[in-house]
């Protein structure tokens, strides 16, 4: 695999929300104006939600309501209308030529485009009339809509990936042709929507078919499901996968989970990609959480795993859940066009930029099997290190976004490449923003004191140098 399969920083957008008029979709040409700011935060992979025509039948309104108004844009995951299906561009975004121009502009900004491969359809997709045999039919002859209890997607038909043999071969080849179409137009990274709801045999066939001609293509599995299925998809060949990081919040949970990923029985095949949030998931301390909660989760996601990503709006600390029991966002962007104030002085953009700078400057972050956790006397403080030769990072994070914590950190000096009793320099690179060199201390031995007040700093990211 090429490096982007194992080390990358992703940023997710709805292209239609990248303009300045919330009453209509932005075009690709308008969305190009956002590219320099995204690149300036240090991200290298720009992931777009589906860009295809959106169905009209049973189109969803705000907050997944069953009735859409005349100006509601609908969910981009309800793919297909009279303008085409998965190989077409939504007219409101522009043309295929506009897409290619956007892709080129992204490259000029240092961003590689990742595309959503979401194989389900709206009732208006051409496949519904051309290939009714590719769908699940109810006893009354109607086509079943998609469900993921308790969620219902009346505007989407799932695909039957295992019809009789002739139809199955035609369907699978049609999916392959979709990938080939976009690969032909320059896309080399695909985020695959819900791969666990398709037969494993389909992926075992499709991925090698693609790689036979395009070995540089990267596939990210969006499989929030049982671990056995996630591991099986990785073993089949998915380049990387979303994980349970979003729901791991305590020091014990984070340490146990990352050690399982790094050293467990599936470490050789399962590559994690850590996301604090997605359009579907606003979880844990981010729900109604303070700014510090977002800072904490960004530090953890970016430095615990070689690949990480955030969904647009994370830097503005968007924290309103749909309800106390619903992990989605209130006024979800899936069903509306969002206008954001990117000039907000409280934006976390400088922090995200600094984290991505640290990641690029330290080769030790590019692998997972070198991570080591260090004990602390406070269960709300997590300490871990990454080492690759003389490149050593030590990260200490206060997991409580509300209250200061102080503790002694019990270092495993051998994991840091240090001898007992050796003095060493710790340079806090997280505090080294523009024009600042960062805080620096001299430590001695394995037992050292830290105090972290989330109102001032949520953590240290120390570059460690022996003296």
């Amino acid at each position: 695999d090429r490096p982007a399969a194992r080390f990358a920083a992703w940023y997710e957008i709805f292209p239609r929300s990248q303009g300045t008029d919330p009453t209509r979709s932005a075009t690709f040409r308008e969305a190009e104006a956002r590219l320099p700011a995204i690149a300036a935060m240090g991200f290298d992979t720009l992931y777009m939600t589906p860009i295809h025509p959106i169905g009209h039948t049973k189109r969803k309104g705000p907050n997944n309501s069953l009735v859409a108004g005349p100006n509601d844009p609908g969910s981009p995951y309800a793919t297909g209308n009279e303008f085409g299906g998965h190989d077409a561009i939504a007219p409101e975004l522009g043309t295929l030529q506009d897409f290619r121009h956007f892709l080129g502009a992204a490259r000029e900004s240092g961003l590689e485009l990742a595309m959503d491969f979401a194989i389900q359809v709206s009732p208006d997709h051409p496949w519904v009339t051309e290939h009714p045999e590719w769908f699940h039919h109810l006893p009354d002859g109607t086509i079943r809509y998609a469900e993921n209890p308790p969620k219902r997607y009346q505007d989407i038909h799932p695909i039957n990936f295992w019809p009789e043999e002739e139809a199955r071969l035609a369907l699978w080849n049609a999916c392959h042709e979709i990938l080939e179409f976009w690969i032909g137009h320059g896309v080399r990274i695909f985020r695959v929507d819900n791969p666990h709801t398709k037969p494993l045999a389909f992926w075992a066939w499709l991925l090698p078919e693609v790689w036979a001609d395009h070995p540089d293509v990267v596939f990210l599995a969006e499989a929030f499901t049982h671990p056995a299925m996630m591991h099986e998809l990785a073993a089949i060949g998915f380049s990387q996968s979303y994980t349970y990081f979003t729901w791991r919040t305590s020091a014990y949970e984070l340490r146990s989970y990352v050690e399982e990923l790094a050293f467990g029985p599936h470490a050789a095949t399962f590559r994690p990609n850590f996301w604090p949030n997605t359009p579907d998931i606003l979880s844990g301390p981010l729900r109604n959480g303070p700014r510090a909660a977002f800072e904490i989760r960004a530090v953890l996601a970016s430095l615990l795993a070689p690949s990480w990503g955030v969904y647009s709006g994370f830097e503005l600390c968007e924290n309103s859940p749909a309800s106390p029991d619903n992990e989605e966002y209130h006024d979800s962007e899936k069903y509306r066009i969002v206008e954001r104030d990117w000039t907000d002085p409280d934006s976390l953009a400088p922090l995200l930029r600094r984290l991505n700078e640290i990641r690029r400057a330290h080769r030790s972050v590019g692998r997972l099997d070198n991570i080591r956790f260090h004990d602390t006397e406070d269960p709300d403080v997590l300490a871990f290190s990454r080492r690759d030769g003389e490149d050593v990072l030590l990260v200490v994070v206060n997991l409580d976004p509300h209250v200061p914590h102080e503790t002694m950190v019990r270092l495993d000096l051998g994991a840091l490449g240090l001898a007992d009793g050796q003095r060493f320099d710790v340079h806090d690179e997280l505090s080294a923003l523009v024009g600042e060199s960062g805080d620096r201390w001299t430590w001695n031995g394995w037992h050292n004191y830290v105090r972290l007040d989330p109102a001032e700093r949520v953590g240290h990211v120390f570059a460690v140098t022996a003296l």
Side-chain angles (χ1 to χ4, degrees):
D1 288 341
R2 62 188 175 102
R6 59 176 173 80
F7 182 77
W10 292 54
Y11 188 88
E12 178 179 3
I13 66 168
F14 284 74
R16 68 191 186 188
S17 291
Q18 305 311 304
T20 57
D21 183 354
T23 67
R24 64 169 180 83
S25 169
T27 65
F28 278 126
R29 297 293 178 130
E30 291 172 315
E32 288 180 13
R34 277 280 296 141
L35 297 175
I38 296 170
M41 288 186 285
F43 294 99
D44 50 51
T45 306
L46 179 64
Y47 156 45
M48 302 187 304
T49 54
I51 58 174
H52 315 301
I54 298 171
H56 307 290
T57 302
K58 297 186 178 180
R59 175 176 287 192
K60 293 297 187 72
N63 288 309
N64 200 27
S65 64
L66 295 176
V67 179
N71 297 317
D72 287 327
S75 167
Y77 289 91
T79 296
N81 64 23
E82 67 273 18
F83 294 104
H86 288 83
D87 57 357
I89 300 286
E92 57 269 27
L93 291 173
T95 65
L96 185 58
Q97 181 179 358
D98 293 325
F99 167 79
R100 291 176 62 89
H101 193 276
F102 182 83
L103 185 146
R107 286 176 176 166
E108 290 177 3
S109 295
L111 295 163
E112 182 169 3
L113 213 58
M115 198 169 196
D116 212 318
F117 186 57
I119 303 301
Q120 66 265 334
V121 306
S122 87
D124 305 315
H125 194 288
W127 284 0
V128 174
T129 55
E130 295 172 2
H131 297 283
E133 68 276 12
W134 291 355
F135 298 92
H136 301 277
H137 293 262
L138 299 174
D140 64 0
T142 60
I143 297 176
R144 178 166 63 86
Y145 64 75
E147 294 184 81
N148 183 17
K151 300 176 184 178
R152 292 182 173 87
Y153 304 98
Q154 293 88 345
D155 55 337
I156 293 173
H157 292 322
I159 305 294
N160 175 13
F161 275 83
W162 208 266
E164 56 87 19
E165 184 176 5
E166 183 177 351
R168 182 168 71 249
L169 293 175
L171 169 62
W172 291 16
N173 281 316
C175 293
H176 184 198
E177 289 168 6
I178 292 169
L179 289 172
E180 289 290 341
F181 178 85
W182 294 110
I183 290 170
H185 288 287
V187 180
R188 288 295 187 277
I189 301 179
F190 295 91
R191 177 267 196 189
V192 180
D193 190 66
N194 289 327
H196 57 288
T197 63
K198 287 77 176 173
L200 292 173
F202 170 68
W203 300 117
W205 170 81
L206 180 62
L207 301 188
E209 285 288 311
V210 172
W211 286 324
D213 296 319
H214 314 286
D216 59 335
V217 170
V218 173
F219 291 99
L220 168 62
E222 189 249 1
F224 293 111
T225 186
H226 298 294
M229 174 60 79
M230 296 169 72
H231 297 151
E232 191 66 27
L233 288 165
I236 283 173
F238 273 88
S239 314
Q240 50 185 254
S241 177
Y242 286 80
T243 69
Y244 296 130
F245 165 76
T246 316
W247 298 277
R248 301 296 187 261
T249 57
S250 72
Y252 172 78
E253 290 172 331
L254 287 163
R255 178 171 182 166
S256 299
Y257 187 53
V258 174
E259 287 181 336
E260 175 191 342
L261 294 174
F263 310 114
H266 304 284
T269 53
F270 188 87
R271 284 202 192 105
N273 193 326
F274 278 10
W275 290 68
N277 70 327
T278 76
D280 293 303
I281 301 171
L282 178 67
S283 185
L286 301 186
R287 295 167 60 83
N288 299 310
R291 173 188 175 92
F294 287 77
E295 295 175 335
I296 291 166
R297 297 303 286 180
V299 172
L300 294 172
S302 62
L303 297 176
L304 279 171
S307 290
W308 82 300
V310 298
Y311 156 51
S312 180
F314 178 90
E315 64 268 46
L316 300 180
C317 302
E318 295 177 353
N319 66 354
S320 298
S323 74
D325 302 315
N326 189 329
E327 287 193 329
E328 297 192 57
Y329 285 82
H330 177 64
D331 289 334
S332 171
E333 193 173 358
K334 287 196 298 182
Y335 309 106
R336 69 185 184 110
I337 294 167
V338 174
E339 182 183 24
R340 295 181 170 97
D341 180 10
W342 300 115
T343 65
D344 187 337
D346 292 328
S347 170
L348 294 181
L351 171 66
L352 302 185
R353 178 180 66 245
R354 186 66 193 128
L355 289 170
N356 282 322
E357 288 172 348
I358 292 171
R359 286 168 49 84
R360 286 195 302 272
H362 292 276
R363 65 180 184 272
S364 58
V365 184
R367 47 188 290 203
L368 188 61
D369 62 353
N370 63 353
I371 196 162
R372 296 295 183 272
F373 288 89
H374 303 260
D375 294 333
T376 69
E377 296 177 1
D378 186 325
D380 285 316
V381 177
L382 181 73
F384 61 93
S385 63
R386 316 290 292 272
R387 179 188 173 202
D388 189 335
E390 295 183 357
D391 178 29
V392 183
L393 276 185
L394 172 64
V395 182
V396 186
V397 184
N398 175 6
L399 301 180
D400 184 342
H402 304 284
V403 178
H405 285 259
E406 54 186 298
T407 187
M408 300 300 291
V409 180
R410 302 167 178 169
L411 296 175
D412 178 349
L413 294 176
L416 301 176
L418 300 170
D420 289 343
Q422 185 171 11
R423 296 170 64 249
F424 53 98
D425 178 90
V426 290
H427 176 209
D428 187 2
E429 297 196 350
L430 189 59
S431 65
L433 298 175
V434 177
E436 300 179 10
S437 61
D439 298 321
R440 190 184 299 270
W441 293 272
T442 298
W443 283 5
N444 187 357
W446 63 274
H447 210 218
N448 295 277
Y449 170 83
V450 296
R451 183 182 188 277
L452 294 167
D453 182 345
E456 300 173 358
R457 69 174 99 204
V458 299
H460 297 297
V461 180
F462 291 131
V464 179
T465 306
L467 297 177

